[in-house]
Amino acid sequence: MKWFGMAMTGVLAFSLSACGGGGSTPTNNAGGDAGTADPAAASTDTKEPAAENITITFQNIYPDASDPKNQMMKKIVDQYQKDNPNVTIELDSLNTDQQKLKLKTQAASKEVPDITVVNPAAQMQPFVDADLFAPLNDMVEENGLKDTFQSGILDYYTFDNNLYALPDGNNIGVVYYNKKLMEQGGVEIPTTFEEMIEAIKTLKSKGIQPMVLGEKDTWTGSFLFMNILLRTNGGPGFLQDVLDGKKTFEDPAYVDAITAFQQLVDAGAFQDGATSFDYNAGENLFKTGTAAMYYMGSWATGGIETAEVSKDGNVGVFQFPTVNGKGNPDEFMLAPGSAFAISKDSKHLEETKAFLNYFMLNFPKEAFEAKGAVGIAQNVDGDFAAAGYSEMAMNVLDLFKKVQGGDLAFDNTMNPAVTQVHLSGTQSLFVEKKDAAAVAKELQAAYEENK
């Protein structure tokens, strides 16, 4: 699989030599030669015109001040503004679902910010079709930026040979676990879904919260659901089979995945009111030591690693288990990350490109130093252990080496209308018992209607 190749080539090998350099926008000097004692110089107008003061709006999904990516973003932005005093970078920091909704509104009114965040493949397609983004082919050739990305990753953001966005991540779905709570509950790391259900019931009976999830942002439950489907289908490719007309959503694999997901809910896996917790709030429950397990993409590693819960090596990680005896744990949910795109109508297009070039060149180095480099889309050459990365982070890196393929998220594969029915249907499983076949039938009807 394409993703597997790029994951293996890039996780641990990146030359940081390109990352420390400045961007393509030089520091401006408005001082000129005024006041020189040289009469000849005084009689010649060599003073450079003052650079225009501009503001670049940088929409991002790093709102959590405790997250390493938030910290390194601000560090890079601050340095760029110091080097370019005529440029102000205005941060618009939102959580994922807030940003998605805001961008839809902005796109409808053709008021996309200078830099925004998009997701790969099918999620990007409508924005590209609407001609909202500037091609970045020329910009990534500057300063060797293109070569910093893992092999093949940029393909997910390329349409008709035009690259429209630069990703911040390349991740896999994993289960983080709190060693102390698991030990207190007397449960082992589950190697099958059935063992996971039993562990959840045992933890619940002992007053320990088994799992947490921020399901107000509906993609979180979908990401977990899709890992279950990856298992019940016996491997990757279910959604592609639907698109190719080989399967429907009423196939036993999909129905079985709904049933298994409902088992998690019925066993009391998730915190009360999970649908009222957004992504950050749900993750913070795990980061503060509230829950025994947390399923999420490996992008969460940096924030968890620097949280109190990880003190003294207390957090471990494991692969999602088999379900009903099906699936290969070495197949993962694959998550080419969110990515930065530039508005085609930016009033300061070249300056915005220069800033994004600088930002992405410095991203790997600063992410590495902030302990947020696990699962980024660019190559990293550094000794993670020597840099103080935790055993948990090293274990996540080891899991990358085991990847034998997998699936993309639902919303990166299906069109937005079908995706919304899936997201709503999955979220509804958190609040009421539903017939799995009926949920599947409803989704198939939506698919037929929105082909």
Side-chain angles (χ1 to χ4, degrees), residues 22-28 80 83-84 86-87 350-351 353-355:
S24 57
T25 301
T27 302
N28 294 289
Y80 192 82
D83 294 344
N84 301 272
N86 67 305
V87 178
E350 293 309 312
E351 292 89 346
K353 285 183 178 181
F355 166 70

Side-chain angles (χ1 to χ4, degrees), residues 47-114:
K47 183 177 180 180
E48 296 180 10
E52 176 191 4
N53 290 325
I54 65 171
T55 297
I56 295 171
T57 302
F58 183 16
Q59 196 171 86
N60 65 87
I61 53 171
Y62 307 145
D64 185 354
S66 68
D67 190 307
K69 285 188 173 63
N70 175 281
Q71 297 161 19
M72 67 88 199
M73 171 185 69
K74 290 181 177 177
K75 183 177 179 181
I76 296 173
V77 166
D78 287 347
Q79 186 59 53
Y80 192 82
Q81 291 179 140
K82 289 178 182 176
D83 294 344
N84 301 272
N86 67 305
V87 178
T88 298
I89 308 298
E90 184 178 86
L91 298 176
D92 183 19
S93 302
L94 307 162
N95 70 36
T96 303
D97 269 21
Q98 288 174 336
Q99 188 274 329
K100 285 182 179 180
L101 289 172
K102 187 171 185 177
L103 178 59
K104 285 182 181 179
T105 301
Q106 292 169 325
S109 60
K110 301 287 186 180
E111 296 179 348
V112 175
D114 299 296

Side-chain angles (χ1 to χ4, degrees), residues 224-303:
L224 172 56
F225 173 88
M226 286 299 295
N227 210 145
I228 296 174
L229 177 61
L230 178 60
R231 300 291 183 260
T232 59
N233 192 52
F238 181 87
L239 295 184
Q240 189 59 52
D241 283 346
V242 172
L243 290 170
D244 293 340
K246 297 176 181 177
K247 291 183 178 179
T248 74
F249 286 107
E250 295 181 81
D251 185 90
Y254 198 87
V255 175
D256 288 349
I258 297 171
T259 300
F261 194 93
Q262 190 75 66
Q263 284 181 280
L264 284 175
V265 175
D266 292 345
F270 307 108
Q271 78 274 22
D272 291 340
T275 57
S276 64
F277 287 74
D278 66 16
Y279 169 81
N280 288 320
E283 185 167 295
N284 282 336
L285 291 177
F286 183 80
K287 288 161 67 173
T288 53
T290 298
M293 291 178 283
Y294 176 53
Y295 175 84
M296 192 43 63
S298 53
W299 59 77
T301 301

